[in-house]
Amino acid sequence: MKSSNSLDAKARQILRRNDRGRYTVPTADLYPHQWNWDSAFAALGLATFDLDRAWTEFETLFGGQWPNGMVPHILFHQRDTDYFPGPDVWGTPGTVPSSGISQPPVAATIARRIWERDPAGYGGRMRALFPKLAAWHRWFMEWRLEDSAVCVTHPWEAGRDNAPDWDDALARINPYDVNGYVRHDTKCVDPEMRPTKLDYDRYIWLVNRGREVNWEENERKRKSDFRIADPTMTFILLRANRDLAEIGRRLGEDVSMLEKWTHTLEIGAETLWNPNLFSYDSKDANSGEWSNCVSNASFLCWYAGIHREEMRRHFDRVTRSVAFGIPSHDPESEKFDPRRYWRGPVWPVINTLAGIGMAEAGLESEASAVREFTSELITRNGFYEYFNPCDGSPAGGGDFTWTAAIWIDWASPSAGDEKWA
């Protein structure tokens, strides 16, 4: 077993190695550009030893913000002809080449945590970032709500690309005009650990539909073939909105609109309670059908400040079924696959958010278990993207930025118990 001190040093080395000057890549070969929520977690890790560089990470990310407030899920700062789908496939109108969709908005919550390390020294940079964060949250409220819950318009937007939550909606898509592309991801990682070709055909089909309408949100909503209310987005935006309101109060800003949005999202979160499953679940906004999935996103309810005893029982059940929690999909489901991306593997980054929420809710034993699971997986295997919940074996990309970042800030024994709020 490696010592926590040597792993702390290794994590810092990974963050420096993946640093491209003003932004950080998730991992060098598999993801060679700037990804939205990966970048926020990169800032979290960088802030433990270089606060100035952490703020630069945010500033670079928001340098690609669209006029309507959307912050893309990928920014292509450098051309890479091997990566697919690149900016020519997306065909977006932004000044920085980018994708046409967003990702879970963890940035405000992480910015608050980083700012609290030195609020006096970085007040000016926080003040400059605040209206950009608020504009992004406004974009979600204007374009992604259904019954007050936050919808995704592409599986990549949720960050949980091939989760079983999307299976039924994707099955209705015939990717008739998708052909002739070469995937980048399966050249870097075992295809058994990645989405299938049919999954990918449908992902690209949705990209093509967005490009056809120049990513104009009115048209996209009117012609939406994929629009699913999602616990990941809803819980993370709810938490982020509360944190942004607190930042605003400290800056002396008017936060009345943020408080109104928080109330709306609290209502929306409860529309994701599936009474048949006794769990928070995804819901198709087009068909009204539940996904009937207990996922690791379901356990982000506590991170959003929402308490349900039924979720505690689900947590006990799913963690008893595997050696390491939290699996990304219910291990008792026939769709569970312990190696394939978001259909079963443990994701340390989601464990971090869920564990923080559990600790804040007073679920100390559950929070400790999640932290111990995460720490043991990384200590045994290194800083991988995700892990097999049955045997702990590593999967996905190696030397992964956000795994290194959450290790330094939360999972390492030397990280301490500093509260997030």
Side-chain angles (χ1 to χ4, degrees), residues 349-363:
V349 69
I350 297 294
N351 276 14
T352 301
L353 302 183
I356 289 165
M358 291 170 181
E360 291 172 346
L363 304 178

Side-chain angles (χ1 to χ4, degrees), residues 272-295:
L272 297 182
W273 182 255
N274 182 335
N276 301 312
L277 197 62
F278 297 103
S279 175
Y280 289 103
D281 189 14
S282 303
K283 190 174 187 179
D284 193 317
N286 291 328
S287 69
E289 296 172 354
W290 292 104
S291 297
N292 289 308
C293 293
V294 178
S295 69

Side-chain angles (χ1 to χ4, degrees), residues 105-147:
V106 294
T109 297
I110 292 176
R112 178 183 174 186
R113 181 163 176 80
I114 292 172
W115 187 39
E116 287 175 347
R117 293 180 182 272
D118 185 1
Y122 290 90
R125 292 173 90 165
M126 185 73 257
R127 187 173 294 280
L129 184 62
F130 176 82
K132 298 176 182 180
L133 287 163
W136 188 24
H137 289 206
R138 181 180 298 108
W139 174 83
F140 278 107
M141 301 302 292
E142 289 178 348
W143 296 113
R144 289 294 185 270
L145 290 199
E146 197 71 41
D147 291 334

Side-chain angles (χ1 to χ4, degrees), residues 84-103:
F84 181 87
D88 54 329
V89 177
W90 289 95
T92 57
T95 54
V96 177
S98 73
S99 65
I101 57 176
S102 199
Q103 266 190 329

Side-chain angles (χ1 to χ4, degrees), residues 87-379:
D88 54 329
V89 177
W90 289 95
T92 57
T95 54
V96 177
S98 73
S99 65
I101 57 176
S102 199
Q103 266 190 329
V106 294
T109 297
I110 292 176
R112 178 183 174 186
R113 181 163 176 80
I114 292 172
W115 187 39
E116 287 175 347
R117 293 180 182 272
D118 185 1
Y122 290 90
R125 292 173 90 165
M126 185 73 257
R127 187 173 294 280
L129 184 62
F130 176 82
K132 298 176 182 180
L133 287 163
W136 188 24
H137 289 206
R138 181 180 298 108
W139 174 83
F140 278 107
M141 301 302 292
E142 289 178 348
W143 296 113
R144 289 294 185 270
L145 290 199
E146 197 71 41
D147 291 334
S148 299
V150 185
C151 291
V152 294
T153 61
H154 192 293
W156 288 338
E157 198 160 54
R160 299 188 294 127
D161 302 20
N162 69 332
D165 304 51
W166 330 127
D167 285 359
D168 290 344
L170 288 176
R172 293 191 286 270
I173 292 174
N174 174 19
Y176 60 86
D177 65 347
V178 174
N179 53 59
Y181 65 88
V182 177
R183 287 173 65 173
H184 174 79
D185 61 322
T186 50
K187 293 190 293 183
C188 304
V189 173
D190 182 348
E192 294 299 313
M193 297 178 180
R194 300 292 297 178
T196 67
K197 182 183 184 303
L198 182 55
D199 287 334
Y200 229 82
D201 286 350
R202 288 163 169 160
Y203 301 159
I204 301 305
W205 191 89
L206 288 168
V207 171
N208 291 345
R209 303 290 78 77
R211 190 182 64 241
E212 285 175 354
V213 297
N214 200 34
W215 301 100
E216 203 285 318
E217 293 293 354
N218 268 318
E219 283 297 296
R220 292 193 68 214
K221 186 171 183 179
R222 188 173 68 84
K223 298 179 178 180
S224 175
D225 295 283
F226 185 97
R227 189 174 176 86
I228 298 182
D230 171 39
T232 330
M233 282 290 201
T234 302
F235 291 146
I236 287 176
L237 182 60
L238 175 51
R239 170 62 181 260
N241 211 62
R242 290 200 191 103
D243 287 320
L244 187 58
E246 181 57 28
I247 290 168
R249 291 186 198 99
R250 296 183 189 183
L251 291 173
E253 300 282 349
D254 180 0
V255 298
S256 57
M257 185 57 70
L258 290 167
E259 291 170 341
K260 180 180 178 181
W261 292 344
T262 297
H263 178 66
T264 297
L265 292 166
E266 288 170 342
I267 295 169
E270 290 310 315
T271 70
L272 297 182
W273 182 255
N274 182 335
N276 301 312
L277 197 62
F278 297 103
S279 175
Y280 289 103
D281 189 14
S282 303
K283 190 174 187 179
D284 193 317
N286 291 328
S287 69
E289 296 172 354
W290 292 104
S291 297
N292 289 308
C293 293
V294 178
S295 69
N296 55 355
S298 305
F299 298 111
L300 295 179
C301 57
W302 293 295
Y303 177 75
I306 296 170
H307 309 275
R308 283 272 194 172
E309 183 60 27
E310 296 95 331
M311 293 311 305
R312 188 174 185 174
R313 290 195 286 270
H314 276 300
F315 175 80
D316 291 343
R317 176 181 62 80
V318 300
T319 53
R320 280 197 305 268
S321 301
V322 293
F324 300 93
I326 306 169
S328 48
H329 187 62
D330 190 337
E332 296 180 9
S333 165
E334 62 182 16
K335 294 184 176 182
F336 175 73
D337 184 335
R339 298 181 72 225
R340 197 179 288 278
Y341 217 39
W342 291 92
R343 301 183 79 87
V346 176
W347 287 75
V349 69
I350 297 294
N351 276 14
T352 301
L353 302 183
I356 289 165
M358 291 170 181
E360 291 172 346
L363 304 178
E364 295 297 340
S365 63
E366 290 83 356
S368 295
V370 173
R371 190 170 177 178
E372 288 166 12
F373 285 141
T374 310
S375 182
E376 185 174 354
L377 286 168
I378 295 170
T379 301

